[in-house]
Amino acid sequence: MRRLLILAGLLIVGGLAIVTVGTGSRLSAQQAEARVIDTEEVRDNLFVLRGGGGNTAAFIGPHGVTLVDTKIPGWGQTLLDSVSALTDRPVTTLINTHSHFDHVGGNPELPVDIQIVAHENSAANMLEMRPVTGFGPQNMTFEGDRGMPTDTFTDRFTLGGGDARIELYYFGRAHTNGDIWVVFPSLSVMHGGDAFSGKNLPIMDANNGGSALEFPATLRKVIDAIEVETIITGHSTLMTMDDLREYADFTLEFLGAMRAAKAAGQSAEEAAESWTPSARFEGYAVPEARLLANVQTLFSELP
Ligand SMILES: [Zn+2]
């Protein structure tokens, strides 16, 4: 794997030092001050750009670059600089996996004339930028059309052709109600956004249409429909379909345990306090506040 380290300026941004990202981890002081993007080569023409929020994918196509997600606000130019280190071709297309600030934050900082594709529910969520359930305010809004999607879809969307074809799928509610799965068929790679942010209890953001009840079934649909060698996660390392299957089982175990807890008359607080994932899922991060928020979301969804 070729790894490039892009140091793009030494700006200290007010407030950024305490920004938390979707996995619940904190940006390091170095990242906050220096805006470091770490580039990992996934294929000859597909890269993961890490740092400053969610994992961005950069696909170098024959006519231009397609990005998947744009990190937290203020990181757009750093992102463009890191792409410039890979290719002379311009960024022509952006895909947003969902509407959260740590995935769409740089949208308004990209060139004005690019195509921006998102699920129709994400486009609607981006008009509001409501707080993330169990996390907090998103502290960003879009001004006018700048950085907003130019193209939306319901179930399926195709970009490009031949080896540069990109397929976008929507399989239902999970992390939000607009999570899309971005597949590069010629490369056997998929970007899963935060519906698969890594091996952790995911945020189930009811404020933005997410569902604890439907999350496992949505993942099952992905597993049944798609086969790739490599998955780019929302915030973690590269993973495989086996990892996704394990993670789907994890969300199903959570659902089953909490369903039983509610049936037994436990409160959301009691259910959250008493839950320990089975040994198979050792190492999965389960942030306390997120767990309680997810249980509350599920209990409100269950009859
Ligand atoms: Zn997210």
Side-chain angles (χ1 to χ4, degrees), residues 22 98 100 102-103 132 175-176 194 203 235:
H98 64 296
H100 284 157
D102 54 329
H103 296 258
V132 180
H175 175 67
T176 68
D194 280 358
I203 288 175
H235 288 269

Side-chain angles (χ1 to χ4, degrees), residues 12-49:
I12 296 171
V13 179
L16 200 56
I18 53 164
V19 163
T20 54
V21 295
T23 53
S25 62
R26 282 172 186 276
L27 289 176
S28 70
Q30 186 197 26
Q31 280 180 319
E33 290 173 13
R35 291 187 186 165
V36 176
I37 287 182
D38 186 8
T39 299
E40 178 181 2
E41 186 180 270
V42 183
R43 300 287 187 268
D44 288 346
N45 54 348
L46 181 68
F47 300 83
V48 181
L49 311 177

Side-chain angles (χ1 to χ4, degrees), residues 40 42-43 46 48 50 55 57 180-184 187-198 219 222-223 226-247:
E40 178 181 2
V42 183
R43 300 287 187 268
L46 181 68
V48 181
R50 302 179 185 284
N55 288 332
I180 61 175
W181 301 79
V182 181
V183 178
F184 303 90
L187 306 178
S188 197
V189 177
M190 169 166 71
H191 194 317
D194 280 358
F196 188 22
S197 60
L219 294 179
V222 178
I223 290 163
I226 293 172
E227 183 59 51
V228 291
E229 285 171 19
T230 307
I231 300 174
I232 298 169
T233 55
H235 288 269
S236 186
T237 59
L238 298 178
M239 296 206 186
T240 65
M241 290 301 295
D242 279 344
D243 293 316
L244 179 57
R245 281 185 276 270
E246 179 190 277
Y247 165 77

Side-chain angles (χ1 to χ4, degrees), residues 20 32 45 54 58 70-71 77 114 120 149 185 195 202 229 235 268 278 287 289:
T20 54
N45 54 348
T70 58
K71 310 191 175 295
Q77 187 57 52
I114 63 169
E120 58 189 10
E229 285 171 19
H235 288 269
S278 58

